[in-house]
Amino acid sequence: MSAARHARFISRTILVQNNDVDKACRILNRILSKEDIFGQYRRTRYYEKPTYVRRRINYEKCKAIYNEDMARKVQFLLRKNRVDPHPGAS
């Protein structure tokens, strides 16, 4: 685990307000899942063969590229997000 990922998690503090521990636990679980702490725990719980590690990493890279391209395409197609939604129309 790299130091940068570890430092992100340590810098978090969850405050329990009005004795609402369930809400604090939900917030903590959201933070842990967003920073992929649960995923990393699941991956390192058992031994993973090097071939499976390579396949998983390649899959994650391809998925990230695909999601980035799709997000860019959606941003382009949504006219309301453009600076001038109807160019040339006066």
Side-chain angles (χ1 to χ4, degrees):
M1 188 155 125
S2 68
R5 293 177 63 91
H6 192 61
R8 281 192 305 180
F9 176 69
I10 286 180
S11 64
R12 302 293 186 171
T13 303
I14 309 293
L15 297 176
V16 178
Q17 297 175 341
N18 301 328
N19 291 330
D20 194 2
V21 177
D22 291 334
K23 184 175 180 182
C25 286
R26 283 194 301 270
I27 292 171
L28 178 63
N29 284 338
R30 188 179 324 125
I31 289 171
L32 291 176
S33 63
K34 186 181 286 188
E35 294 186 3
D36 200 32
I37 302 295
F38 288 143
Q40 187 164 2
Y41 167 71
R42 283 188 212 103
R43 283 193 298 273
T44 58
R45 190 170 13 174
Y46 303 111
Y47 176 73
E48 191 176 15
K49 286 185 174 182
T51 55
Y52 292 136
V53 172
R54 286 192 299 270
R55 286 177 60 187
R56 179 178 49 81
I57 290 174
N58 286 334
Y59 172 76
E60 290 170 358
K61 287 179 184 177
C62 291
K63 185 176 178 183
I65 291 170
Y66 176 80
N67 289 340
E68 184 181 340
D69 288 345
M70 280 297 133
R72 190 179 308 116
K73 185 176 182 179
V74 167
Q75 282 297 107
F76 177 75
L77 292 176
L78 291 176
R79 287 189 166 277
K80 65 181 180 182
N81 292 333
R82 295 186 193 172
V83 178
D84 184 12
H86 302 288
S90 342

